[in-house]
Amino acid sequence: MKKKQKQVVPTKFERPVDRYFFQLDQEFNQTPYALSAIFLFLVFFGVMGLIWMIPFPQLEFLQKLNAQTFLNWGSFFIAIVIYSYLKLAPTLSYAMLFTIGLMSYFIVQLEYVERDGGPAVVTVCSIIAVLAGLALYLTAKPKSLGSGIKLLAIGPIWLWSKLFDKLNWKY
């Protein structure tokens, strides 16, 4: 019986992000990137929308400034995600900041729709996250829970890195 050899990450990588991307490349090299990108970003959008809608405490000084609307748990989530990506790959974090800005715009639009009698944002984001997560699982076929979590955590900037590579942009 042959012993399975463990894939070793080459030591030529100086940055942790290069190691993460190498591992994701090894794990998901057969995955169609365009399809994975759509599903991955939809999962991210759904999760961000769910975090955005967690009730935030009403702060009196913010109500006086009319700024309470834009401070929510989603703001903290965005700050943590962008900081994490900034530590890994600054240029890619800017691309993600742009992406998250677009997603934030659409979440606010969903809030307006809900206010006008439409479906609840939590319901819409839950459906998007679950269906896109299931589709991502079926297309990417992660080999373990850890690789699936890594795909969800690092995947968005990994996919941006693919575009940057095609355009010969340094990150």
Side-chain angles (χ1 to χ4, degrees), residues 24-26 28-39 158-159 162 166:
L24 287 171
D25 284 336
Q26 296 304 306
F28 302 105
N29 62 353
Q30 300 300 321
T31 305
Y33 292 121
L35 203 53
S36 292
I38 292 167
F39 295 140
W158 174 59
L159 291 171
K162 299 294 179 197
K166 279 193 184 290

Side-chain angles (χ1 to χ4, degrees), residues 71-157:
L71 182 64
N72 54 46
W73 293 114
S75 305
F76 292 103
F77 173 74
I78 291 167
I80 291 167
V81 166
I82 293 301
Y83 177 75
S84 301
Y85 289 164
L86 185 62
K87 297 289 279 180
L88 289 173
T91 308
L92 295 175
S93 74
Y94 304 139
M96 270 309 294
L97 185 60
F98 173 75
T99 304
I100 288 173
L102 284 174
M103 290 179 181
S104 299
Y105 171 80
F106 286 111
I107 291 170
V108 170
Q109 296 308 307
L110 286 173
E111 286 182 307
Y112 292 148
V113 169
E114 178 181 355
R115 186 190 63 201
D116 294 339
V121 177
V122 171
T123 304
V124 173
C125 288
S126 296
I127 291 169
I128 289 172
V130 168
L131 291 179
L134 181 62
L136 182 63
Y137 176 77
L138 294 174
T139 56
K141 297 180 181 97
K143 294 176 182 159
S144 68
L145 179 62
S147 63
I149 291 171
K150 190 182 295 182
L151 178 64
L152 291 174
I154 307 295
I157 63 169

